[in-house]
Structures are given as structure tokens and as C-alpha cells.
Amino acid sequence: MKVITFGASTSSTSINKALATYAANLIDGAEVKVLDINNYQVPMFSEDKEKEIGQAEGAQAFLRDLDEADVFVISYAEHNGHYPAAYKNLFDWATRIDREVFKSKPAIYLATSPGPGGAQTVLAAATGSAPYFGGNVKASVSVPSFYDNFDFESGSISNAEIAEQLKQAVATLTA
Ligand SMILES: Cc1cc2nc3c(=O)[nH]c(=O)nc-3n(C[C@H](O)[C@H](O)[C@H](O)COP(=O)(O)O)c2cc1C
């Protein structure tokens, strides 16, 4: 089973990338490919720009990489209650090529932040809108206070309750 995973973040030290990578590797026998959103260069979206260039190459490459997936593990960073602008921009370009971005493949959606809110607002937005974009969300988990609940040395969740929630969430991908 091929797992495509990424943090919806452009930060080189993304906690969402760390969380997504950890959760994806909980799947037994999975081949995990971690995408980096920075690798898909797209201009700022406008309909004028789209008329000028047609499809953005970075969005084509993003969709090609997503197509390799059997399942997805995605963790969303929250910027002012929404997707980070760079991810939203890439996503918008991708939807102009194919609105069924995630092709109804099973997915778990995660989100984390340094604070107690655990990026729940963006997680609710991503989960709520998923059906419009071929998102087939089997489970979602928000992880609050990431730096208190993740051990960077071992690359794993240190809070037993959250670790169990994540284990149960990934199990839905193979059920
Ligand atoms: C512009 C900006 C807006 C932010 N807004 C929120 C927010 O609305 N809610 C929240 O929990 N954290 C917010 N944060 C803090 C992020 O959760 C934090 O930077 C986190 O590390 C982002 O995830 P990442 O490391 O995966 O990029 C914001 C950070 C930035 C830079």
C-alpha cells in the first residue's frame, strides 16, 4: 500500500509534516512517500494568470504525485483559522486542472499547532469541504500543544492518549 503524506505547510521545520510522517509510518507494511509542498512552484493564482499560462506546472506535478497514492495522510497547518496561503494557492491551481484532487482514495486528516486549539478550525474546514474535492476522510485527529506531546528525538507522539487516537485513525485506512 502506497501512502502519500504531507504537511500542508511550507515551513522547513513544519510540525504538521512531523505529525503526518509519524502517523503515516504507523501503517503496517506501508510504502510511505513524504511530499514537500515547497517542491511545487506555482504563481499567485488569478484568472488572468490562468489565461496567460494555462495549467500551472507545479500543480500538474502535485496532482501526478497525489495520483501515486493508495491512501493519504495529510496534516494541515493553521494560519489565521485557514490553510496557509501557499498551500491554498497550490490547491486552487490543482482544482482548476481536476476538481477531484484526492480521487476518493481513503484519507486521514490531521492538524496540529503549538497552542491548545490544535488547529481545529482548519481541520474542520478541510474535513467539511473534502467531499467537493474527492476527499474520502475516514478519520480526523487534532493534536493540541504539539511541543508538549511530541518527542522530536524519537520522532513520535509522547502522549499515550493521543498516540492511541492516531493509531485508531490510521487503522481506518486498512479496515
Ligand atoms: C500567519 C500565521 C498565522 C497563524 N494562525 C494560527 C491560528 O489561527 N491558529 C493556530 O493554532 N496557530 C496559528 N499559527 C501558529 C501555527 O500553528 C504554527 O506556526 C505552526 O507551527 C504551523 O504549523 P507548521 O509548523 O506545520 O507550519 C499561525 C502562524 C502564522 C505564521
Side-chain angles (χ1 to χ4, degrees):
M1 174 188 281
K2 184 146 187 185
V3 184
I4 294 289
T5 188
F6 61 91
S9 160
T10 50
S11 170
S12 64
T13 55
S14 170
I15 56 177
N16 283 280
K17 189 174 189 175
L19 176 61
T21 303
Y22 163 77
N25 281 294
L26 293 176
I27 303 168
D28 270 344
E31 182 196 342
V32 176
K33 181 171 175 177
V34 184
L35 306 185
D36 183 340
I37 295 307
N38 289 299
N39 291 337
Y40 309 102
Q41 290 296 319
V42 289
M44 181 80 81
F45 183 84
S46 75
E47 295 195 20
D48 302 297
K49 197 72 187 170
E50 189 180 38
K51 282 186 190 117
E52 185 190 322
I53 68 163
Q55 297 179 352
E57 280 179 24
Q60 290 172 332
F62 183 51
L63 287 173
R64 270 198 305 275
D65 285 347
L66 294 183
D67 273 347
E68 288 179 21
D70 294 311
V71 300
F72 295 108
V73 176
I74 304 171
S75 191
Y76 293 91
E78 182 170 287
H79 282 185
N80 298 318
H82 297 275
Y83 299 133
Y87 176 72
K88 180 63 163 55
N89 191 41
L90 173 62
F91 185 72
D92 285 347
W93 277 107
T95 60
R96 300 293 280 183
I97 298 169
D98 183 356
R99 208 173 82 152
E100 292 284 303
V101 172
F102 299 112
K103 301 282 179 348
S104 299
K105 295 173 183 177
I108 62 166
Y109 281 9
L110 310 173
T112 191
S113 69
Q120 283 179 64
T121 305
V122 72
L123 184 58
T127 306
S129 63
Y132 299 105
F133 309 109
N136 177 9
V137 185
K138 299 294 185 191
S140 63
V141 179
S142 152
V143 175
S145 307
F146 190 73
Y147 293 99
D148 297 336
N149 290 317
F150 192 80
D151 175 24
F152 284 89
E153 218 162 282
S154 61
S156 60
I157 289 284
S158 50
N159 177 307
E161 201 179 311
I162 296 170
E164 182 58 29
Q165 279 177 40
L166 291 168
K167 204 171 132 194
Q168 287 183 14
V170 298
T172 63
L173 292 173
T174 47

